[in-house]
Amino acid sequence: MYTASCLCNGIQLKINAEISQIFICHCQQCQKAQGTAFVAITPIQMKDLIITQGQNLLGEYYATENKKRVFCRRCASPLYSARSDLPDVIRLRVGIINEVLNIEITSHAFTSEKADWFEILDDHPQFTQHVQPSQ
Ligand SMILES: [Zn+2]
Ligand SMILES: [Zn+2]
């Protein structure tokens, strides 16, 4: 069990699942959405995410037709994304989790779009396009 919150603390979340993977996405949409070089996400089942406070603060944005990005409408923290064709699995933004995770990065995706000023310094697998299909 983990907890998570947005920057203003208006949205409080509980995660009823083990978190064992961190995927880094370097695509240009994620760069724009986070305002930095990449996003760090962990896939979890929607049923394992409990919004304990701030449901009214949730905003949604569709940069592409089949994927919504959910954020806090007050402080703009990115919270998770979800694909319309895979509604049961969400991609939680790892940076909003409150606890220490003690796990390593699983892999890097979309390195073909990586910010030129950012250098990948770890040895974890890199994919030029999508994250590995098993996700
Ligand atoms: Zn907030
Ligand atoms: Zn991305």
Side-chain angles (χ1 to χ4, degrees):
M1 170 84 91
Y2 299 89
T3 62
S5 58
C6 64
L7 181 61
C8 76
N9 284 314
I11 297 172
Q12 298 289 331
L13 310 163
K14 279 187 178 163
I15 301 127
N16 273 328
E18 202 48 52
I19 292 175
S20 57
Q21 294 178 307
I22 295 176
F23 294 97
I24 305 296
C25 184
H26 296 270
C27 87
Q28 280 168 355
Q29 278 191 4
C30 287
Q31 291 182 38
K32 293 277 187 187
Q34 317 303 312
T36 187
F38 58 82
V39 68
I41 65 104
T42 189
I44 62 166
Q45 297 287 316
M46 187 67 207
K47 65 173 174 55
D48 292 333
L49 183 76
I50 297 137
I51 298 161
T52 57
Q53 184 190 304
Q55 186 88 43
N56 59 319
L57 290 175
L58 294 176
E60 295 182 355
Y61 178 71
Y62 287 78
T64 50
E65 202 176 297
N66 75 335
K67 183 160 105 182
K68 68 176 173 186
R69 292 171 179 269
V70 180
F71 58 94
C72 174
R73 290 193 288 114
R74 188 159 67 198
C75 70
S77 286
L79 304 170
Y80 64 88
S81 63
R83 280 170 50 174
S84 309
D85 54 343
L86 278 174
D88 296 341
V89 181
I90 63 162
R91 295 170 163 208
L92 191 74
R93 274 42 194 164
V94 173
I96 67 168
I97 297 170
N98 296 321
E99 289 78 16
V100 174
L101 290 177
N102 275 322
I103 52 174
E104 290 192 10
I105 287 168
T106 306
S107 62
H108 296 268
F110 281 98
T111 55
S112 56
E113 299 181 17
K114 183 180 76 60
D116 58 1
W117 52 266
F118 180 78
E119 189 181 354
I120 297 173
L121 295 171
D122 62 60
D123 294 328
H124 302 296
Q126 297 184 19
F127 300 89
T128 55
Q129 297 289 314
H130 298 280
V131 179
Q132 60 205 85
S134 66
Q135 190 193 337

